[in-house]
Amino acid sequence: MARMSWKAALLTFLLMGFGCKSADEKLDDLHRSTDDRGRLDLGIYDAGLLVHEGFATLIEAEQLSLGQLGRAIHDCALILDGNEFGLCRADAVSALTHLATRFPLVASAQPLEVHPTLNQHALGQVELLDTAARLLNTPGLIGALQDADKVVAARALRELRTLTKQDFGMAPGRWNEWWLANAAQQMRQCVSDSQEPLRNLARLRFTSLAQARSVLGYLAARSSATDVAELRAQCAPTIAALARQVLVLGLQKALSDKDPAVRWEAYRGIGVVQDPCLAASLNSCWAQENSSEGRVRLLQATACFPSKISLATHLLALGEDDRAVMLTAHAGLQRMTGEDGVAEERWWLQWYERRGKNLWP
Protein backbone atom coordinates (compact mmCIF):
# COMPACT_ATOMS: atom_id res chain seq x y z
CA MET A 1 0.00 0.00 0.00
CA ALA A 2 2.81 2.39 0.91
CA ARG A 3 4.53 1.58 -2.38
CA MET A 4 1.39 2.36 -4.38
CA SER A 5 0.88 5.61 -2.48
CA TRP A 6 4.44 6.67 -3.31
CA LYS A 7 3.82 5.99 -7.01
CA ALA A 8 0.56 7.92 -6.92
CA ALA A 9 2.28 10.86 -5.27
CA LEU A 10 5.05 10.83 -7.87
CA LEU A 11 2.54 10.74 -10.73
CA THR A 12 0.63 13.64 -9.19
CA PHE A 13 3.86 15.61 -8.90
CA LEU A 14 4.72 14.95 -12.54
CA LEU A 15 1.29 15.96 -13.76
CA MET A 16 1.41 19.14 -11.66
CA GLY A 17 4.74 19.93 -13.29
CA PHE A 18 3.29 19.46 -16.75
CA GLY A 19 0.28 21.58 -15.77
CA CYS A 20 2.57 24.55 -15.16
CA LYS A 21 3.74 24.55 -18.77
CA SER A 22 2.32 26.90 -21.37
CA ALA A 23 0.51 25.67 -24.47
CA ASP A 24 3.59 26.43 -26.58
CA GLU A 25 5.82 24.44 -24.22
CA LYS A 26 3.50 21.42 -24.32
CA LEU A 27 3.33 21.64 -28.09
CA ASP A 28 7.14 21.77 -28.09
CA ASP A 29 7.12 18.59 -25.97
CA LEU A 30 4.75 16.93 -28.42
CA HIS A 31 7.01 17.86 -31.34
CA ARG A 32 10.28 16.88 -29.65
CA SER A 33 8.97 13.57 -28.37
CA THR A 34 8.81 12.08 -31.87
CA ASP A 35 11.34 11.74 -34.65
CA ASP A 36 10.89 13.00 -38.22
CA ARG A 37 8.80 9.93 -39.02
CA GLY A 38 6.40 10.36 -36.12
CA ARG A 39 7.82 7.54 -33.97
CA LEU A 40 8.50 8.02 -30.27
CA ASP A 41 11.98 9.35 -29.63
CA LEU A 42 13.33 6.78 -27.21
CA GLY A 43 16.13 9.15 -26.26
CA ILE A 44 13.60 11.35 -24.45
CA TYR A 45 12.43 10.24 -21.04
CA ASP A 46 8.69 9.47 -20.93
CA ALA A 47 8.18 10.41 -24.58
CA GLY A 48 4.82 8.63 -24.59
CA LEU A 49 3.56 10.66 -21.63
CA LEU A 50 4.73 13.89 -23.26
CA VAL A 51 2.81 12.99 -26.43
CA HIS A 52 -0.29 12.30 -24.35
CA GLU A 53 0.11 15.63 -22.56
CA GLY A 54 0.46 17.40 -25.88
CA PHE A 55 -2.79 15.88 -27.16
CA ALA A 56 -4.54 16.82 -23.90
CA THR A 57 -3.37 20.41 -24.36
CA LEU A 58 -4.91 20.53 -27.83
CA ILE A 59 -8.22 19.18 -26.59
CA GLU A 60 -8.35 21.57 -23.63
CA ALA A 61 -7.11 24.70 -25.43
CA GLU A 62 -9.60 27.55 -25.41
CA GLN A 63 -7.79 29.25 -28.26
CA LEU A 64 -4.83 28.69 -30.53
CA SER A 65 -3.09 31.07 -32.88
CA LEU A 66 -3.22 30.12 -36.53
CA GLY A 67 0.46 29.17 -36.38
CA GLN A 68 -0.18 26.96 -33.35
CA LEU A 69 -3.20 25.37 -35.01
CA GLY A 70 -1.27 24.57 -38.19
CA ARG A 71 1.62 23.22 -36.17
CA ALA A 72 -0.70 21.08 -34.02
CA ILE A 73 -2.47 19.57 -37.04
CA HIS A 74 0.90 18.87 -38.66
CA ASP A 75 2.17 17.06 -35.55
CA CYS A 76 -1.05 15.03 -35.19
CA ALA A 77 -0.77 14.00 -38.84
CA LEU A 78 2.91 13.10 -38.44
CA ILE A 79 2.12 10.79 -35.51
CA LEU A 80 -0.84 9.27 -37.36
CA ASP A 81 1.38 8.72 -40.39
CA GLY A 82 4.24 6.93 -38.70
CA ASN A 83 3.93 6.23 -34.97
CA GLU A 84 4.46 2.63 -33.98
CA PHE A 85 1.82 2.59 -31.22
CA GLY A 86 -1.86 2.28 -32.08
CA LEU A 87 -2.87 4.24 -28.98
CA CYS A 88 -0.81 7.24 -30.11
CA ARG A 89 -2.27 7.05 -33.61
CA ALA A 90 -5.83 6.81 -32.23
CA ASP A 91 -5.18 9.81 -29.96
CA ALA A 92 -3.88 11.72 -32.99
CA VAL A 93 -7.13 11.05 -34.89
CA SER A 94 -9.16 12.11 -31.86
CA ALA A 95 -7.17 15.34 -31.54
CA LEU A 96 -7.56 16.08 -35.26
CA THR A 97 -11.33 15.65 -35.00
CA HIS A 98 -11.48 17.91 -31.96
CA LEU A 99 -9.44 20.63 -33.66
CA ALA A 100 -11.71 20.51 -36.70
CA THR A 101 -14.78 21.11 -34.56
CA ARG A 102 -13.29 23.58 -32.08
CA PHE A 103 -11.56 25.66 -34.75
CA PRO A 104 -13.68 25.11 -37.88
CA LEU A 105 -11.60 24.33 -40.95
CA VAL A 106 -13.86 25.06 -43.89
CA ALA A 107 -13.39 23.12 -47.11
CA SER A 108 -12.34 25.17 -50.12
CA ALA A 109 -15.24 26.66 -52.08
CA GLN A 110 -13.18 26.42 -55.28
CA PRO A 111 -12.17 23.18 -57.05
CA LEU A 112 -8.64 22.17 -56.10
CA GLU A 113 -5.99 21.83 -58.80
CA VAL A 114 -4.61 18.41 -59.64
CA HIS A 115 -1.07 19.25 -60.71
CA PRO A 116 0.83 16.77 -62.93
CA THR A 117 4.13 17.38 -61.12
CA LEU A 118 2.78 18.02 -57.64
CA ASN A 119 5.95 17.57 -55.59
CA GLN A 120 8.12 19.74 -57.82
CA HIS A 121 5.46 22.43 -58.13
CA ALA A 122 4.82 22.61 -54.37
CA LEU A 123 8.54 22.69 -53.66
CA GLY A 124 8.94 25.50 -56.18
CA GLN A 125 6.30 27.58 -54.37
CA VAL A 126 8.01 26.96 -51.02
CA GLU A 127 11.33 28.08 -52.49
CA LEU A 128 9.69 31.28 -53.77
CA LEU A 129 8.38 31.95 -50.25
CA ASP A 130 11.83 31.34 -48.81
CA THR A 131 13.37 33.76 -51.27
CA ALA A 132 10.75 36.40 -50.47
CA ALA A 133 11.40 36.09 -46.73
CA ARG A 134 15.20 36.07 -46.81
CA LEU A 135 15.53 39.83 -46.37
CA LEU A 136 13.64 39.57 -43.08
CA ASN A 137 16.71 37.72 -41.76
CA THR A 138 18.75 40.94 -41.98
CA PRO A 139 18.53 41.94 -38.27
CA GLY A 140 19.74 38.51 -37.17
CA LEU A 141 22.60 38.58 -39.66
CA ILE A 142 23.65 42.03 -38.44
CA GLY A 143 23.77 40.67 -34.91
CA ALA A 144 25.86 37.72 -36.10
CA LEU A 145 28.59 40.10 -37.30
CA GLN A 146 29.69 40.37 -33.66
CA ASP A 147 29.72 36.62 -33.06
CA ALA A 148 32.87 35.40 -31.30
CA ASP A 149 33.20 32.70 -33.96
CA LYS A 150 34.86 34.44 -36.91
CA VAL A 151 33.52 31.84 -39.32
CA VAL A 152 29.94 32.67 -38.27
CA ALA A 153 30.63 36.42 -38.60
CA ALA A 154 32.18 36.02 -42.05
CA ARG A 155 29.25 33.91 -43.24
CA ALA A 156 26.80 36.55 -41.98
CA LEU A 157 28.66 39.27 -43.89
CA ARG A 158 28.56 37.27 -47.12
CA GLU A 159 24.84 36.70 -46.72
CA LEU A 160 24.20 40.38 -45.99
CA ARG A 161 26.07 41.42 -49.12
CA THR A 162 24.08 38.94 -51.21
CA LEU A 163 20.70 39.91 -49.78
CA THR A 164 21.02 43.67 -49.70
CA LYS A 165 23.49 44.38 -52.52
CA GLN A 166 25.22 46.64 -49.96
CA ASP A 167 28.63 46.38 -48.29
CA PHE A 168 29.34 48.09 -44.98
CA GLY A 169 31.98 45.61 -43.88
CA MET A 170 31.94 44.32 -40.33
CA ALA A 171 30.45 47.53 -38.86
CA PRO A 172 27.04 46.64 -37.33
CA GLY A 173 26.19 50.33 -36.83
CA ARG A 174 26.25 51.11 -40.57
CA TRP A 175 24.20 48.00 -41.32
CA ASN A 176 21.63 48.95 -38.67
CA GLU A 177 21.30 52.42 -40.16
CA TRP A 178 20.66 50.92 -43.58
CA TRP A 179 18.07 48.49 -42.18
CA LEU A 180 16.18 51.22 -40.27
CA ALA A 181 15.95 53.24 -43.47
CA ASN A 182 14.86 50.31 -45.65
CA ALA A 183 13.03 47.85 -43.38
CA ALA A 184 9.50 49.03 -44.21
CA GLN A 185 10.12 48.78 -47.96
CA GLN A 186 11.71 45.34 -47.62
CA MET A 187 8.77 44.07 -45.57
CA ARG A 188 6.29 45.35 -48.17
CA GLN A 189 8.29 43.60 -50.86
CA CYS A 190 8.29 40.37 -48.87
CA VAL A 191 4.50 40.50 -48.45
CA SER A 192 4.02 41.28 -52.15
CA ASP A 193 6.34 38.48 -53.32
CA SER A 194 4.60 35.96 -51.04
CA GLN A 195 1.10 36.49 -52.40
CA GLU A 196 1.26 34.35 -55.53
CA PRO A 197 3.04 31.27 -54.10
CA LEU A 198 0.66 31.27 -51.12
CA ARG A 199 -2.35 31.36 -53.45
CA ASN A 200 -0.85 28.58 -55.57
CA LEU A 201 -0.31 26.33 -52.54
CA ALA A 202 -3.86 26.92 -51.30
CA ARG A 203 -5.23 25.75 -54.69
CA LEU A 204 -3.29 22.47 -54.85
CA ARG A 205 -4.95 19.11 -54.22
CA PHE A 206 -2.45 16.96 -52.34
CA THR A 207 -2.65 13.23 -52.86
CA SER A 208 -0.90 12.01 -49.72
CA LEU A 209 -0.95 12.92 -46.05
CA ALA A 210 2.84 13.29 -46.00
CA GLN A 211 2.81 15.89 -48.80
CA ALA A 212 0.07 18.03 -47.29
CA ARG A 213 1.35 17.95 -43.72
CA SER A 214 4.90 18.83 -44.78
CA VAL A 215 3.79 22.01 -46.55
CA LEU A 216 1.43 22.85 -43.68
CA GLY A 217 4.24 22.44 -41.15
CA TYR A 218 6.44 24.79 -43.14
CA LEU A 219 3.77 27.49 -43.39
CA ALA A 220 2.81 27.19 -39.71
CA ALA A 221 6.45 27.63 -38.70
CA ARG A 222 6.79 30.58 -41.07
CA SER A 223 3.68 32.26 -39.67
CA SER A 224 4.75 31.70 -36.05
CA ALA A 225 8.28 32.98 -36.63
CA THR A 226 7.45 36.30 -38.28
CA ASP A 227 6.47 39.46 -36.43
CA VAL A 228 5.11 41.02 -39.64
CA ALA A 229 1.33 41.13 -39.11
CA GLU A 230 0.61 41.49 -42.83
CA LEU A 231 2.57 38.34 -43.59
CA ARG A 232 0.77 36.33 -40.90
CA ALA A 233 -2.58 37.51 -42.26
CA GLN A 234 -1.49 36.56 -45.76
CA CYS A 235 -0.55 33.04 -44.62
CA ALA A 236 -3.87 32.50 -42.83
CA PRO A 237 -6.11 31.32 -45.70
CA THR A 238 -3.44 28.97 -47.05
CA ILE A 239 -2.81 27.45 -43.61
CA ALA A 240 -6.56 26.94 -43.14
CA ALA A 241 -6.96 25.35 -46.59
CA LEU A 242 -4.03 22.98 -46.08
CA ALA A 243 -5.14 22.12 -42.56
CA ARG A 244 -8.50 21.01 -43.96
CA GLN A 245 -6.78 18.80 -46.52
CA VAL A 246 -4.57 17.28 -43.82
CA LEU A 247 -7.66 16.55 -41.74
CA VAL A 248 -9.42 14.75 -44.61
CA LEU A 249 -6.31 12.85 -45.74
CA GLY A 250 -5.60 11.88 -42.12
CA LEU A 251 -9.08 10.44 -41.61
CA GLN A 252 -8.81 8.57 -44.91
CA LYS A 253 -5.48 7.07 -43.89
CA ALA A 254 -6.81 6.05 -40.48
CA LEU A 255 -9.60 4.03 -42.13
CA SER A 256 -7.08 1.43 -43.27
CA ASP A 257 -5.05 1.32 -40.06
CA LYS A 258 -4.26 -2.18 -38.76
CA ASP A 259 -5.33 -1.19 -35.24
CA PRO A 260 -9.14 -1.27 -34.75
CA ALA A 261 -9.03 1.59 -32.22
CA VAL A 262 -7.57 3.90 -34.86
CA ARG A 263 -10.24 2.96 -37.40
CA TRP A 264 -12.99 3.45 -34.84
CA GLU A 265 -11.72 6.94 -34.04
CA ALA A 266 -11.72 7.63 -37.79
CA TYR A 267 -15.37 6.55 -38.08
CA ARG A 268 -16.27 8.87 -35.22
CA GLY A 269 -14.28 11.70 -36.79
CA ILE A 270 -15.94 11.25 -40.18
CA GLY A 271 -19.34 11.34 -38.51
CA VAL A 272 -18.40 14.65 -36.91
CA VAL A 273 -16.69 16.30 -39.88
CA GLN A 274 -19.09 14.90 -42.54
CA ASP A 275 -16.96 15.97 -45.49
CA PRO A 276 -18.42 14.55 -48.75
CA CYS A 277 -14.87 13.71 -49.86
CA LEU A 278 -14.82 11.02 -47.18
CA ALA A 279 -17.96 9.17 -48.30
CA ALA A 280 -16.28 6.98 -50.92
CA SER A 281 -13.51 6.03 -48.48
CA LEU A 282 -16.04 4.21 -46.29
CA ASN A 283 -17.30 1.94 -49.05
CA SER A 284 -14.68 -0.78 -48.63
CA CYS A 285 -14.54 -0.75 -44.82
CA TRP A 286 -17.30 -3.23 -43.99
CA ALA A 287 -15.22 -6.31 -44.83
CA GLN A 288 -12.41 -5.35 -42.43
CA GLU A 289 -14.68 -4.93 -39.39
CA ASN A 290 -15.51 -8.15 -37.57
CA SER A 291 -16.44 -6.79 -34.15
CA SER A 292 -19.80 -5.43 -33.10
CA GLU A 293 -18.31 -2.13 -31.93
CA GLY A 294 -16.41 -1.60 -35.16
CA ARG A 295 -19.45 -2.30 -37.34
CA VAL A 296 -21.70 -0.09 -35.22
CA ARG A 297 -19.30 2.85 -35.54
CA LEU A 298 -18.86 2.27 -39.26
CA LEU A 299 -22.62 2.23 -39.83
CA GLN A 300 -23.03 5.46 -37.87
CA ALA A 301 -20.45 7.14 -40.09
CA THR A 302 -21.87 5.69 -43.31
CA ALA A 303 -25.36 6.95 -42.47
CA CYS A 304 -24.04 10.51 -42.80
CA PHE A 305 -23.71 10.01 -46.58
CA PRO A 306 -26.95 8.70 -48.11
CA SER A 307 -26.30 6.86 -51.38
CA LYS A 308 -26.93 3.56 -53.10
CA ILE A 309 -23.78 2.08 -51.57
CA SER A 310 -24.48 3.23 -48.02
CA LEU A 311 -28.05 1.99 -48.38
CA ALA A 312 -26.78 -1.43 -49.49
CA THR A 313 -24.36 -1.56 -46.53
CA HIS A 314 -27.19 -0.88 -44.09
CA LEU A 315 -29.49 -3.43 -45.71
CA LEU A 316 -26.70 -6.01 -45.44
CA ALA A 317 -26.14 -5.13 -41.77
CA LEU A 318 -29.85 -5.37 -41.04
CA GLY A 319 -29.53 -9.13 -41.51
CA GLU A 320 -26.77 -9.49 -38.90
CA ASP A 321 -27.39 -11.64 -35.83
CA ASP A 322 -25.74 -9.08 -33.56
CA ARG A 323 -28.57 -6.97 -32.14
CA ALA A 324 -26.48 -3.80 -31.70
CA VAL A 325 -25.42 -3.93 -35.35
CA MET A 326 -28.97 -4.64 -36.53
CA LEU A 327 -30.49 -1.78 -34.51
CA THR A 328 -27.80 0.65 -35.70
CA ALA A 329 -28.49 -0.36 -39.31
CA HIS A 330 -32.22 0.17 -38.74
CA ALA A 331 -31.64 3.64 -37.28
CA GLY A 332 -29.37 4.48 -40.20
CA LEU A 333 -31.95 3.39 -42.76
CA GLN A 334 -34.60 5.54 -41.09
CA ARG A 335 -32.24 8.50 -41.03
CA MET A 336 -31.19 8.20 -44.67
CA THR A 337 -34.60 7.48 -46.17
CA GLY A 338 -37.07 9.21 -43.88
CA GLU A 339 -39.06 5.96 -43.73
CA ASP A 340 -40.52 4.76 -40.43
CA GLY A 341 -40.11 1.08 -41.21
CA VAL A 342 -39.86 -1.68 -38.62
CA ALA A 343 -36.55 -3.29 -37.66
CA GLU A 344 -37.01 -6.29 -39.95
CA GLU A 345 -34.88 -7.23 -42.93
CA ARG A 346 -37.88 -8.46 -44.93
CA TRP A 347 -39.77 -5.13 -44.58
CA TRP A 348 -36.80 -3.12 -45.80
CA LEU A 349 -36.03 -5.44 -48.71
CA GLN A 350 -39.63 -5.11 -49.88
CA TRP A 351 -39.40 -1.34 -49.48
CA TYR A 352 -36.17 -1.36 -51.49
CA GLU A 353 -37.83 -3.15 -54.39
CA ARG A 354 -40.76 -0.72 -54.33
CA ARG A 355 -38.95 2.59 -53.84
CA GLY A 356 -35.46 2.33 -52.45
CA LYS A 357 -33.58 1.28 -55.55
CA ASN A 358 -34.69 4.46 -57.32
CA LEU A 359 -33.81 6.92 -54.54
CA TRP A 360 -30.24 7.62 -55.70
CA PRO A 361 -28.56 7.25 -59.09
Side-chain angles (χ1 to χ4, degrees), residues 70-357:
R71 175 185 173 194
I73 291 177
H74 166 272
D75 287 352
C76 287
L78 176 64
I79 289 170
L80 170 60
D81 219 4
N83 196 272
E84 66 271 44
F85 296 105
L87 180 59
C88 287
R89 298 196 303 276
D91 281 349
V93 177
S94 178
L96 277 174
T97 301
H98 175 82
L99 289 171
T101 54
R102 192 65 174 274
F103 308 96
L105 303 171
V106 181
S108 173
Q110 302 298 323
L112 295 174
E113 175 187 350
V114 179
H115 202 279
T117 56
L118 177 61
N119 285 341
Q120 296 91 324
H121 183 64
L123 181 59
Q125 303 311 301
V126 168
E127 289 173 345
L128 288 174
L129 288 172
D130 267 345
T131 300
R134 285 176 69 197
L135 269 170
L136 300 183
N137 298 331
T138 300
L141 293 169
I142 293 172
L145 293 174
Q146 296 178 297
D147 196 282
D149 188 330
K150 299 304 181 184
V151 174
V152 172
R155 186 183 300 121
L157 179 59
R158 288 196 301 271
E159 183 69 6
L160 281 170
R161 288 168 173 164
T162 301
L163 286 177
T164 67
K165 311 303 184 210
Q166 306 295 320
D167 189 359
F168 303 116
M170 301 299 289
R174 303 259 330 261
W175 283 108
N176 279 320
E177 288 174 7
W178 181 88
W179 179 247
L180 286 173
N182 292 274
Q185 177 187 346
Q186 300 302 331
M187 289 180 183
R188 286 194 298 270
Q189 188 64 48
C190 174
V191 171
S192 176
D193 291 347
S194 298
Q195 288 178 356
E196 189 62 23
L198 283 171
R199 281 197 295 265
N200 289 339
L201 287 172
R203 288 196 293 257
L204 284 178
R205 180 182 296 281
F206 289 91
T207 55
S208 77
L209 181 59
Q211 292 170 331
R213 67 168 168 77
S214 296
V215 178
L216 174 63
Y218 164 81
L219 288 177
R222 176 188 174 94
S223 176
S224 298
T226 183
D227 57 358
V228 181
E230 294 91 339
L231 194 53
R232 288 198 303 272
Q234 196 178 61
C235 288
T238 304
I239 289 176
L242 288 175
R244 179 71 184 197
Q245 283 203 62
V246 170
L247 167 69
V248 171
L249 289 167
L251 290 173
Q252 286 174 332
K253 182 177 180 64
L255 289 177
S256 60
D257 199 281
K258 63 183 179 182
D259 192 305
V262 182
R263 299 197 300 271
W264 298 351
E265 278 298 326
Y267 300 147
R268 184 182 71 84
I270 290 172
V272 170
V273 175
Q274 296 191 19
D275 190 307
C277 295
L278 293 163
S281 304
L282 292 168
N283 293 341
S284 60
C285 293
W286 180 260
Q288 70 184 347
E289 295 300 338
N290 298 316
S291 70
S292 172
E293 184 172 1
R295 290 192 161 186
V296 163
R297 294 198 188 199
L298 173 57
L299 288 169
Q300 289 169 340
T302 305
C304 298
F305 307 102
S307 68
K308 260 194 185 321
I309 296 178
S310 57
L311 181 64
T313 301
H314 279 73
L315 288 172
L316 176 66
L318 197 63
E320 290 286 308
D321 293 332
D322 189 293
R323 184 166 177 78
V325 174
M326 183 271 290
L327 290 177
T328 304
H330 178 232
L333 286 167
Q334 290 180 317
R335 173 182 174 180
M336 288 189 293
T337 66
E339 295 286 345
D340 192 25
V342 296
E344 293 179 2
E345 183 181 14
R346 181 179 177 183
W347 190 98
W348 283 99
L349 290 176
Q350 289 175 344
W351 166 86
Y352 178 80
E353 287 301 321
R354 292 195 312 272
R355 293 188 61 244
K357 62 185 178 182

